[in-house]
Amino acid sequence: MSSSAPVGNTALTRFDVCIIGSGAGGGSAAYVLTKAGKKVLVLEGGPNRFDALGDPQQQPISRFSPDEVKLAYRNFIYPDPVADPRTWRSSASAGDRTFVGDVNGLAKTVGGGAVHADLKMPRFMPQDFTLGTDLHNKPAGTSFVDWPVTYDMLEAFYSYAETVIGVQGTPGADPFEGYRSKPLPMPPGLPMYVAVKASQGLSKLGYHPFPYPSAINSVAYDGRPACQDCGLCSGYGCPTNAKGSPAVTTLRKALLSGNCLLLPETKVVKLLMNSAKDTVTGVEAIDPAGNRQRYAADQYVLAASPIEDARLLLLSDPGGNGIGNSSDQVGRNLTFHLHNDALGIFEERMHGHRGRTVTHAFTDFRGTPNDPDHPLGGICEISGSLGPVGEADYLRRVFDVFGFNGARFKRLLREAVIRERVMIFAMVGEDAPQPTNRVDLDPAVRDIDGIPVPRVTYQSHAWELAARDFYKPKMIAALGAAGARFAALSPAGDIPTTSHIMGTLRMGNDPRQSVCDSTGRFHDVGNLYNADGALFPTSSGFNPTMTIMALAMRVAAGMAYPGAPERALS
Amino acid sequence: MTSKLPLVPPLTRRQVLQAMGTGAAVLVLPGCRSHFAAPGAPPPSFFTATERLQLAALADYVLPPDDAPGGAALGAVPYIEKLLSCLEHPEPQIFLGGPYSGRVPFAASNGLPTTIYPANDYLNYEPPGRLALKAWQLYLLGSDGVGGAPNDAVLGKVVGLRDQLRNGLQDAAAKSQRPLEQLDYAGLGELWPKLDKAFADVLIGLVSQAAFGMPEYGGNPNGAGWAMVRYEGDILPLGFSFIDPASGLPHDNPRSPTSVAQPGPDPEPLSQASRDFLRTVFIALGGQEFP
């Protein structure tokens, strides 16, 4: 099987749109555009790990497997941290860099980061779109602004995306969620036992656990089977296609339309511009054989994830400020989520390595603007654990502090202290956007192709650290109420590792303070759009993938039907 | 399906290495249908005989043999050697195929195992692709082995894994008062804190991957590592849940449920020693113990 062979309609030679990236955003854009009859070329830098992805006669054959070594330790779909590194520093005053390696690594593969995710798909809340207006006394150094789109404008696309990819859950079970115009297409799957026990404790304290909306089939849906709860979900591609990653949903539908050609292992390294730099004339890429090729279309969509998007714009303007950057906002306002993980260890075995990694959540810690008794935090995931290789790796890091002892290590593994006895509350804490948190090009470090790597300058703001400190005792108390023997907040390092990456090309109505407008089009470049989380002006306190997909579909719908994007919903 | 593989009888380090030398690296458990691939031709080698003994000794410190196999018996040496040699095949042997190993059957309509098994996709390896191949060459061989890496002048040369392990073993041997393979657990415990930290970390990781990874990578013989920690292994296509044909809704695998407690007593409860260690860890983290 070839990981680089073209997929889809190889007879296509002329394209209306070229999409860079095949993940949550790129796949969504490809689906909407091809459905509208546009001819679409998708360029993906990573490998294709599916056979028959574009074959209408059969379901795709996944080459993923519940193999910890392959996925978590041999970089089957992850960039290699030495050959494809990023660099990090906390601030410009820290020097050129203080770390080289894995910084916010996202899977680079057909289907993008959504292939490895466990596809938790909550929507943002209506309040998340208007913090510029609603948040008083904004902390110094932050750049909270309103989104140029509201929840109301996005709602129909949320519902549409949920149906296209298949999302399970129980509408209304989260008392804090926004309104919805349509039900979810699938009921929730089996709860993990960890979630059952957690929910008992949370309910005792007056919190409101609910089944996490997830793009994982609880029943057969759209020709794909129901999930079998194999346990290796978060961080793993799905062996059975029960998980609705973009590869087997939006992208596959685009490929089956006959209007799409996908070129895997085709690494875009430059946007080619006209002399005024206000129009993209083509892209330059390194093909699977290592040769430089050029591709052209009428319009272009950047959907390579925020860090790579910014990198490409900067690479395309050597010596300049970056394509589309009259605002000086390209690369800035990079946000993540401050993941606050509270761990509980139980006497009872809870087999948290079975199930979909996370089946339940509670939103009681998302908070309300300006309410000191409920500061803005985020949704709390109720999580299980890892396989034994991951468990061993976790324990190794614990022993870094306490000194390694083989006999103790083995005993802890045999008693499955982490794998079977852990319950995790992971709060997806909102990041304050800061202009100084940004992506640029490292001045010296290169990837294995000799191309400048992205440099991430990032540090948390006191604002989100305060929310973490506020909710920490509550999370620990909740673990105790659920029956934990021991509970603590897991220490976080300085180097960002989250896969929730947002900002760098924030959308807004003012071209002086934003990169893209409310349709996702670059203010400065008439035929260039963004369709991923780079558009997000703020990060909210929820997993971003559902909003990425809804927004990307809306962007593509506006490209297909200018001024009337709702036509794409029919 | 709960794992019914019995624990592998404890073997000495020398017995394991003798078995490897004859190609009989697979420990076949009596009374159990074996779905584990028999070894073929001797694989490419990297270590010297002495290095294998040293590595086995250190693996037996990471996971000491007791009433359950140690790191050496759980295949640390063949796993690591296979990893270091993975590019020396017509098709690089980095990533096992998928989705299924063929070890586990499909589920019946009641969620119990059938006698129908899928094809074994683990017989094939997935291709690495252009960038991944370059990355693995650099990872294993280092800057000197690939004619230089892009960041050598800025960050220093990349030391390949082969050299990391070889140098680490030499360093360990130099720091030991006696040959490594003659050290008992206490002696290894005295040596361990003196090891290069990066080498020690790599070793723990590789021994763990060997013990608990897919057996096709060279370790975890016949699933002995999984059996030791009571892990079900690769559970597909059976799964931990199934769709009930009557309701069309998901149900727990009756033997290994997802949403309810596992039937039966805890096979290896939390020990007081573990409890004491966890108390130390959690209090140090600013956490809490609940009665």
Side-chain angles (χ1 to χ4, degrees):
Chain A
M1 170 249 164
S2 168
S3 60
S4 61
V7 188
N9 190 348
T10 53
L12 289 172
T13 55
R14 195 215 158 270
F15 301 97
D16 298 304
V17 184
C18 173
I19 301 175
I20 301 164
S22 67
S28 298
Y31 169 69
V32 170
L33 288 164
T34 54
K35 192 160 169 280
K38 300 291 186 183
K39 307 301 184 202
V40 174
L41 174 66
V42 180
L43 301 177
E44 167 54 55
N48 178 20
R49 297 303 186 189
F50 296 89
D51 288 346
L53 191 60
D55 185 347
Q57 303 301 322
Q58 58 177 316
Q59 281 292 320
I61 301 167
S62 166
R63 294 308 177 190
F64 294 103
S65 46
D67 181 342
E68 288 189 272
V69 168
K70 179 165 111 179
L71 271 295
Y73 297 96
R74 295 194 176 188
N75 300 320
F76 186 53
I77 55 174
Y78 285 95
D80 182 270
V82 175
D84 194 3
R86 292 174 176 166
T87 61
W88 169 80
R89 59 184 184 177
S90 58
S91 67
S93 61
D96 282 348
R97 68 195 73 79
T98 49
F99 177 80
V100 182
D102 178 12
V103 179
N104 302 105
L106 272 185
K108 274 187 187 174
T109 187
V110 167
V115 166
H116 80 96
D118 52 353
L119 287 188
K120 295 182 283 288
M121 305 293 262
R123 299 181 178 191
F124 287 3
M125 293 168 67
Q127 70 178 27
D128 296 331
F129 295 84
T130 56
L131 287 182
T133 298
D134 296 339
L135 192 62
H136 307 152
N137 302 316
K138 294 180 186 53
T142 66
S143 53
F144 284 102
V145 294
D146 288 347
W147 290 48
V149 297
T150 61
Y151 182 91
D152 290 347
M153 293 161 73
L154 211 51
E155 199 284 325
F157 288 92
Y158 271 132
S159 289
Y160 185 67
E162 286 163 352
T163 302
V164 169
I165 63 172
V167 175
Q168 58 160 278
T170 306
D174 176 10
F176 303 97
E177 69 182 26
Y179 76 94
R180 59 172 49 247
S181 56
K182 290 186 181 167
L184 288 170
M186 284 184 281
L190 286 179
M192 290 168 65
Y193 184 52
V194 165
V196 171
K197 286 190 64 81
S199 297
Q200 291 164 357
L202 290 164
S203 299
K204 271 191 252 176
L205 297 177
Y207 300 132
H208 305 85
F210 60 93
Y212 226 128
S214 305
I216 300 174
N217 286 0
S218 56
V219 296
Y221 186 86
D222 197 30
R224 293 176 292 110
C227 173
Q228 293 172 273
D229 293 291
C230 76
L232 293 182
C233 198
S234 180
Y236 294 79
C238 183
T240 69
N241 299 333
K243 187 159 68 172
S245 81
V248 299
T249 57
T250 50
L251 184 63
R252 172 165 164 83
K253 292 175 193 299
L255 292 166
L256 293 180
S257 72
N259 292 328
C260 185
L261 176 65
L262 165 68
L263 298 182
E265 292 191 43
T266 302
K267 175 182 171 184
V268 177
V269 294
K270 195 171 188 178
L271 300 177
L272 304 171
M273 309 297 294
N274 65 349
S275 55
K277 296 186 186 176
D278 62 6
T279 303
V280 182
T281 60
V283 302
E284 186 172 296
I286 303 176
D287 73 10
N291 301 315
R292 297 251 173 168
Q293 304 287 353
R294 292 189 170 190
Y295 306 93
D298 295 335
Q299 296 175 305
Y300 298 80
V301 177
L302 261 187
S305 81
I307 293 175
E308 294 299 323
D309 290 339
R311 179 192 189 193
L312 185 60
L313 292 167
L314 296 168
L315 286 173
S316 303
D317 189 27
N321 206 30
I323 299 300
N325 198 21
S326 65
S327 62
D328 192 34
Q329 296 299 297
V330 167
R332 291 188 185 276
N333 307 297
L334 173 67
T335 54
F336 306 136
H337 284 131
L338 186 65
H339 282 274
N340 306 292
D341 293 350
L343 263 69
I345 301 290
F346 289 64
E347 291 280 351
E348 181 186 6
R349 286 185 183 247
M350 297 181 295
H351 42 268
H353 62 283
R354 302 175 192 166
R356 305 183 296 284
T357 309
V358 176
T359 61
H360 283 64
F362 57 103
T363 318
D364 300 79
F365 297 168
R366 174 59 188 125
T368 307
N370 313 308
D371 184 347
D373 295 326
H374 299 93
L376 287 172
I379 191 170
C380 259
E381 306 175 357
I382 302 167
S383 172
S385 61
L386 308 155
V389 180
E391 179 180 30
D393 195 35
Y394 188 89
L395 288 171
R396 176 187 62 76
R397 286 178 275 136
V398 172
F399 282 115
D400 267 352
V401 178
F402 296 93
F404 185 79
N405 176 300
R408 175 179 289 152
F409 180 58
K410 186 174 181 180
R411 184 177 60 244
L412 292 170
L413 288 168
R414 290 182 66 171
E415 294 171 13
V417 162
I418 300 298
R419 178 168 47 88
E420 292 255 24
R421 304 180 200 272
V422 81
M423 177 188 293
I424 301 172
F425 291 159
M427 188 175 87
V428 180
E430 174 155 18
D431 247 19
Q434 303 177 65
T436 50
N437 283 349
R438 64 182 301 187
V439 175
D440 65 358
L441 297 178
D442 193 281
V445 178
R446 303 287 179 263
D447 70 13
I448 200 119
D449 286 333
I451 296 168
V453 305
R455 176 172 62 183
V456 171
T457 303
Y458 177 90
Q459 59 182 314
S460 294
H461 196 282
W463 184 80
E464 58 257 26
L465 296 177
R468 178 197 62 189
D469 292 343
F470 181 89
Y471 287 114
K472 170 185 166 183
K474 297 177 188 296
M475 292 165 74
I476 291 176
L479 285 167
R485 178 66 186 264
F486 303 101
L489 199 69
S490 185
D494 292 326
I495 299 157
T497 57
T498 177
S499 50
H500 296 180
I501 309 166
M502 295 152 284
T504 75
L505 303 176
R506 63 172 21 181
M507 59 192 317
N509 293 322
D510 185 348
R512 295 167 300 176
Q513 298 186 34
S514 56
V515 179
C516 297
D517 66 21
S518 63
T519 70
R521 193 173 76 168
F522 276 66
H523 289 300
D524 295 348
V525 186
N527 67 341
L528 181 62
Y529 294 75
N530 178 260
D532 63 25
L535 289 173
F536 291 16
T538 58
S539 72
S540 92
F542 294 92
N543 316 76
T545 308
M546 190 74 254
T547 304
I548 288 172
M549 296 187 76
L551 193 59
M553 287 190 175
R554 186 175 183 275
V555 169
M559 294 172 69
Y561 306 104
E566 62 280 357
R567 284 181 58 193
L569 302 175
S570 57
Chain B
M1 180 180 78
T2 51
S3 172
K4 294 203 190 289
L5 294 171
L7 292 177
V8 175
L11 298 174
T12 66
R13 200 176 300 147
R14 191 160 289 281
Q15 284 174 317
V16 169
L17 293 166
Q18 281 174 346
M20 285 169 53
T22 62
V26 173
L27 303 169
V28 179
L29 304 171
C32 174
R33 172 178 172 163
S34 172
H35 296 274
F36 299 96
S45 60
F46 172 74
F47 291 119
T48 65
T50 300
E51 287 171 334
R52 290 195 191 98
L53 288 173
Q54 294 170 335
L55 198 51
L58 293 172
D60 272 351
Y61 181 71
V62 175
L63 289 173
D66 42 32
D67 64 319
L74 290 175
V77 177
Y79 174 86
I80 294 171
E81 194 143 28
K82 185 167 179 170
L83 169 64
L84 297 180
S85 311
C86 67
L87 298 180
E88 296 175 24
H89 300 269
E91 219 176 76
Q93 294 189 356
I94 306 170
F95 310 119
L96 287 178
Y100 303 128
S101 66
R103 269 189 282 278
V104 177
F106 291 96
S109 59
N110 60 2
L112 292 172
T114 63
T115 55
I116 304 168
Y117 291 78
N120 183 356
D121 298 302
Y122 288 19
L123 293 174
N124 306 312
Y125 288 87
E126 291 300 302
R130 179 184 72 88
L131 287 172
L133 184 58
K134 289 174 87 168
W136 271 81
Q137 288 166 340
L138 184 60
Y139 170 55
L140 293 177
L141 306 176
S143 296
D144 286 342
V146 299
N151 299 309
D152 285 350
V154 178
L155 304 176
K157 288 187 179 181
V158 175
V159 179
L161 185 63
R162 288 181 165 192
D163 285 339
Q164 285 182 52
L165 291 174
R166 180 154 279 158
N167 295 345
L169 288 172
Q170 287 172 359
D171 176 69
K175 289 173 177 170
S176 173
Q177 308 286 354
R178 291 186 290 148
L180 288 180
E181 65 272 22
Q182 293 179 10
L183 292 176
D184 60 10
Y185 179 78
L188 289 163
E190 285 177 14
L191 174 64
W192 190 269
K194 302 174 192 169
L195 297 182
D196 174 75
K197 174 70 168 53
F199 169 68
D201 281 348
V202 166
L203 205 55
I204 296 169
L206 292 176
V207 170
S208 303
Q209 291 168 32
F212 308 120
M214 295 296 176
E216 288 82 356
Y217 287 120
N220 191 11
N222 275 348
W226 291 338
M228 183 176 85
V229 296
R230 302 173 197 280
Y231 177 64
E232 299 87 352
D234 52 324
I235 195 63
L236 291 176
L238 181 68
F240 291 123
S241 67
F242 69 101
I243 293 294
D244 172 46
S247 65
L249 294 173
H251 276 242
D252 280 306
N253 177 312
R255 294 180 185 167
S256 301
T258 300
S259 68
V260 297
Q262 178 69 33
D266 188 333
E268 203 147 2
L270 208 56
S271 62
Q272 190 57 45
S274 293
R275 227 177 260 119
D276 291 341
F277 178 68
L278 290 168
R279 181 176 299 113
T280 303
V281 172
F282 275 77
I283 298 304
L285 290 174
Q288 199 171 334
E289 180 175 6
F290 296 92

